[in-house]
Amino acid sequence: MNDRAWRDMPITSLYGVGKVKAQAYARLGIERVEDLLMHYPRAYENRGDVCLLSQAREEGKVAVILTVATQPRSATIRRGMTLLKLRAYDDSGTCEITFFNQNYHKDAFPLGATFRFFGKVERTGQRFAMSSPAFEEIAPDSDGSELPPLFPVYPLTEGLSQKQIATNIAMALRLSQTEMEDPLPAEWRQRRGLCTLPYALRQIHMPESMTALRAAKKRLIYDEFLMFALGLAASRRQVKEQIAPVCDKGDLAPLAAQLPYALTGAQQRAIEEIRQDMSRNVPMSRMIVGDVGCGKTICAAAAMLFAVQSGRQAALMVPTEILARQHANELGELFD
């Protein structure tokens, strides 16, 4: 498989993505494997910052390492609602953990096993409780440091979960990493302190540390700015190669005579530069910047006049209908 092949693979080529999931992905603008890898997380959960139950803050989610103390018990509290409960502890206390309508976790918590739980810890006196926390089992004789500290949080749509997207992205990374070509030469990357593209994509989705995440963001942001700059340069080159109609019969006097005020020196200079640009056969690309009331509209009106005087037509485009009507009324009186 070459670099282009994996990029163009449809999202349905990933295990578990059928027609329904593909439709959900399409709502996010994701149709190919490459689109999925460019679906970056909107935030990250810091599950590596572990605390004791007694140290858990009341606001927000925290990570705690707990050992299972009781077998999970399932109960039906009403039709369509089941509870799965167990107790787990650390050196500072015991926590009651509840899962709603998730009986499939019943065999996931063997007695004596240790897990990293992530969620909101509620405290009543010396009692602690967590509802439907995320969890990961920690290997025996381990402190949990081997678990990834940062978990991505993705933009979602109906029919897709965080787990589904993370699973599919892991598949996409396995497909692409060995075949992915980096468009930036090694010398270029070294000179600018940039990591490789495969590394950046892996770390943006599965960051090993904050340092790795920062390096990934730097590379991907650089790529976005580079593509924008290249597109802008190509657009400028295309404009330069085009030929514009010559408008060399520019006479400002008829318009200036209708104005109830005299043009300022800055306005006259700007209009003269516009007249000179329009008298050549190269497309004009010009931006006039100034405060409200400084005379930008009269400069545009002068450009329109020069076009019409040279046998052409002119249109003035503005962002709102109200402004369009205002200019049509005011300039219409002048041009009449």
Side-chain angles (χ1 to χ4, degrees):
M1 188 188 302
N2 58 35
D3 182 67
R4 189 69 258 166
W6 70 263
R7 293 178 185 273
D8 293 334
M9 289 176 65
I11 194 71
T12 50
S13 61
L14 300 178
Y15 179 78
V17 181
K19 182 179 179 181
V20 174
K21 294 297 182 186
Q23 289 174 345
Y25 272 121
R27 289 196 292 272
L28 293 173
I30 299 171
E31 297 180 350
R32 304 171 304 149
V33 169
E34 183 178 27
D35 300 332
L36 181 61
L37 289 183
M38 301 304 164
H39 186 67
Y40 301 142
R42 61 175 176 80
Y44 295 87
E45 293 177 341
N46 187 358
R47 300 185 187 179
D49 188 12
V50 176
C51 67
L52 294 171
L53 284 169
S54 60
Q55 299 170 333
R57 60 183 184 274
E58 295 184 6
E59 304 83 17
K61 297 179 178 181
V62 297
V64 289
I65 293 179
L66 306 177
T67 301
V68 177
T70 65
Q71 292 280 6
R73 303 184 311 278
S74 177
T76 301
I77 58 173
R78 65 174 181 267
R79 190 171 184 177
M81 173 66 75
T82 61
L83 296 182
L84 184 68
K85 290 189 175 185
L86 66 132
R87 289 184 179 179
Y89 64 91
D90 66 10
D91 292 339
S92 68
T94 300
C95 181
E96 184 172 72
I97 300 173
T98 304
F99 293 95
F100 296 90
N101 288 337
Q102 299 179 63
N103 270 358
Y104 49 84
H105 289 327
K106 189 172 184 178
D107 299 324
F109 301 101
L111 278 174
T114 302
F115 291 82
R116 183 175 71 181
F117 293 94
F118 184 79
K120 186 175 181 180
V121 175
E122 298 178 354
R123 182 171 185 170
T124 305
Q126 295 300 313
R127 296 182 177 181
F128 302 95
M130 298 183 79
S131 296
S132 299
F135 61 89
E136 305 142 277
E137 188 170 4
I138 297 175
D141 303 321
S142 171
D143 60 359
S145 59
E146 75 280 2
L147 296 177
L150 300 170
F151 271 68
V153 180
Y154 293 97
L156 296 177
T157 187
E158 184 178 355
L160 290 175
S161 65
Q162 294 291 342
K163 185 176 181 180
Q164 172 86 49
I165 292 180
T167 300
N168 293 151
I169 283 179
M171 296 177 188
L173 285 170
R174 286 195 295 271
L175 275 174
S176 64
Q177 290 287 292
T178 57
E179 304 294 338
M180 189 182 301
E181 298 176 3
D182 196 321
L184 295 185
E187 181 183 351
W188 191 319
R189 296 195 307 268
Q190 292 168 5
R191 192 161 61 243
R192 290 161 177 78
L194 300 171
C195 64
T196 65
L197 182 59
Y199 180 86
L201 286 174
R202 174 165 290 278
Q203 295 303 321
I204 204 73
H205 291 296
M206 300 177 175
E208 299 170 358
S209 65
M210 287 301 299
T211 301
L213 180 58
R214 283 193 290 269
K217 287 184 176 180
K218 178 181 177 181
R219 168 60 197 267
L220 296 175
I221 290 171
Y222 181 89
D223 282 9
E224 288 188 16
F225 275 110
L226 178 61
M227 290 301 294
F228 177 77
L230 290 174
L232 197 60
S235 177
R236 286 173 176 165
R237 188 180 302 112
Q238 185 179 19
V239 168
K240 286 182 179 179
E241 293 172 353
Q242 293 175 345
I243 297 177
V246 174
C247 297
D248 57 356
K249 294 182 173 57
D251 181 7
L252 184 62
L255 178 61
Q258 301 296 321
L259 299 177
Y261 55 85
L263 294 173
T264 67
Q267 291 167 351
Q268 292 179 28
R269 287 193 298 274
I271 291 172
E272 176 58 21
E273 290 176 1
I274 290 171
R275 189 193 65 76
Q276 291 179 10
D277 276 356
M278 293 179 66
S279 67
R280 299 184 298 134
N281 66 347
V282 178
M284 177 175 64
S285 180
R286 178 175 295 277
M287 180 180 291
I288 299 179
V289 181
D291 295 331
V292 174
C294 73
K296 298 187 293 295
T297 303
I298 200 63
C299 293
M304 297 171 73
L305 176 65
F306 298 156
V308 173
Q309 287 174 334
S310 300
R312 302 290 175 174
Q313 291 182 322
L316 178 66
M317 298 181 68
V318 292
T320 67
E321 183 179 350
I322 292 175
L323 195 56
R325 292 183 182 279
Q326 176 185 324
H327 283 329
N329 293 333
E330 294 177 353
L331 295 180
E333 293 181 6
L334 284 176
F335 289 139
D336 280 345

